[in-house]
């Protein structure tokens, strides 16, 4: 659970460049007459995501079980640059230099290292590829041609094409002015829900590659599992 939550948060904060919007999977309004097509909106979103070569984002994330029990509620920071990204929150730290991923569980001092497949557009394996594939032939999601609204933002509902995926739908809130994602709501097949809200966004001049590699000096005392 802890590993999945962190990857989920990292995934959506990498491209959420605006202020958080307030919408829920249960209360989005009907379609407005001036709504663009979903295809056009996703095209604009992809362009908006790619306009910054490096970003730093702060976020809040919450998760609830199907019974309404709070599973997680915390703040974190993400730095992203090309295929590289780094996320820090109170539970985990995640480093990825585009070739490898390092995930540190701070509560149990366990570090797991994975290969990073940049050709994979799965939301867990390649968050940037997932976002920039939406609305293209490489995407693993279908979507309605009709957009909904919530508090001044467009809301796109994505449905996984692969029925074996553990999630049944993802709502993406997109700011009408910037065309950037502002909030994401994920619903799993077991009824649990996960919401990421963006608190701030700062374009950056960039970081050295070492910023996205887990420091070897910190490995002492950790349980390390290398799956590369």
């Amino acid at each position: 659970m802890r590993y999945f939550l962190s990857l989920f948060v990292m995934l959506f904060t990498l491209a959420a460049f605006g202020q958080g919007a307030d919408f829920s999977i249960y209360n989005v309004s009907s379609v407005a007459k001036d709504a663009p097509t979903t295809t056009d909106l996703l095209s604009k979103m992809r362009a908006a995501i790619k306009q910054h070569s490096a970003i730093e984002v702060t976020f809040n994330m919450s998760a609830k079980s199907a019974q309404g029990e709070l599973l997680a509620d915390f703040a974190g920071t993400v730095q992203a640059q090309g295929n590289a990204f780094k996320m820090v929150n109170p539970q985990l730290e995640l480093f990825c230099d585009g070739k490898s991923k390092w995930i540190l569980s701070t509560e149990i001092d366990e570090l797991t290292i994975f290969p990073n497949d940049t050709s994979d557009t799965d939301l867990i394996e390649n968050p940037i590829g997932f976002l920039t594939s939406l609305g293209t032939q490489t995407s693993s999601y279908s979507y309605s041609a009709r957009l909904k609204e919530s508090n001044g933002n467009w809301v796109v509902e994505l449905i996984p094409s692969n029925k074996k995926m553990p999630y049944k739908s993802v709502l993406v809130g997109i700011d009408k002015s910037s065309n950037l994602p502002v909030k994401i709501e994920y619903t799993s097949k077991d009824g649990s829900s996960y919401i990421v809200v963006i608190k701030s966004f700062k374009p950056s001049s960039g970081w050295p590659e070492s910023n996205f590699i887990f420091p070897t000096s910190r490995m002492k005392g950790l349980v390390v599992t290398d799956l590369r």
Side-chain angles (χ1 to χ4, degrees):
M1 170 66 73
R2 199 174 286 121
Y3 165 66
F4 176 79
L5 289 179
S6 292
L7 285 178
F8 176 79
V9 172
M10 171 271 299
L11 157 68
F12 290 122
T13 52
L14 286 179
F17 298 158
Q19 296 299 313
D22 182 14
F23 71 88
S24 164
I25 194 169
Y26 303 111
N27 66 10
V28 289
S29 64
S30 59
V31 182
K33 293 181 180 180
D34 61 343
T37 67
T38 307
T39 300
D40 287 345
L41 180 62
L42 292 177
S43 177
K44 292 177 181 179
M45 184 190 72
R46 294 194 303 270
I49 288 173
K50 294 178 180 179
Q51 68 178 326
H52 300 292
S53 60
I55 61 169
E56 183 172 73
V57 175
T58 60
F59 63 87
N60 281 348
M61 187 265 186
S62 62
K64 290 185 178 182
S65 68
Q67 293 73 37
E69 177 188 2
L70 187 65
L71 301 174
D73 186 12
F74 55 81
T77 303
V78 171
Q79 295 173 340
Q81 180 174 287
N83 287 323
F85 45 87
K86 176 181 176 181
M87 184 193 73
V88 177
N89 70 51
Q91 296 181 341
L92 287 97
E93 297 181 26
L94 188 151
F95 294 72
C96 180
D97 64 354
K99 300 180 286 291
S100 300
K101 298 174 188 171
W102 295 259
I103 300 178
L104 172 65
S105 177
T106 57
E107 295 182 346
I108 58 176
D109 291 334
E110 183 176 63
L111 178 70
T112 308
I113 309 173
F114 302 86
N116 183 49
D117 183 2
T118 58
S119 67
D120 193 338
T121 59
D122 180 80
L123 68 86
I124 299 298
E125 294 299 322
N126 184 9
I128 296 176
F130 161 76
L131 290 164
T132 55
S133 73
L134 293 179
T136 72
Q137 292 183 347
T138 61
S139 177
S140 299
Y141 290 81
S142 59
Y143 53 84
S144 171
R146 297 173 63 80
L147 289 170
K148 296 182 179 181
E149 285 187 285
S150 180
N151 294 342
N153 296 285
W154 301 124
V155 179
V156 178
E157 182 174 13
L158 304 171
I159 305 298
S161 301
N162 185 349
K163 301 304 181 183
K164 294 182 179 180
M165 290 183 180
Y167 24 88
K168 62 181 181 181
S169 67
V170 178
L171 290 182
V172 181
I174 301 175
D175 182 83
K176 287 186 176 183
S177 299
S178 66
N179 295 314
L180 290 165
V182 291
K183 188 175 179 182
I184 311 296
E185 182 168 346
Y186 155 93
T187 302
S188 65
K189 288 182 177 179
D190 65 6
S192 54
S193 60
Y194 306 85
I195 300 175
V196 177
V197 177
I198 304 310
K199 306 305 293 183
S200 69
F201 159 74
K202 296 179 181 179
S204 173
S205 58
W207 299 272
E209 183 180 5
S210 59
N211 181 65
F212 304 101
I213 299 175
F214 189 84
T216 55
S217 60
R218 293 182 57 192
M219 290 187 181
K220 185 178 181 180
L222 300 178
V223 177
V224 180
T225 303
D226 194 336
L227 300 177
R228 291 176 294 183

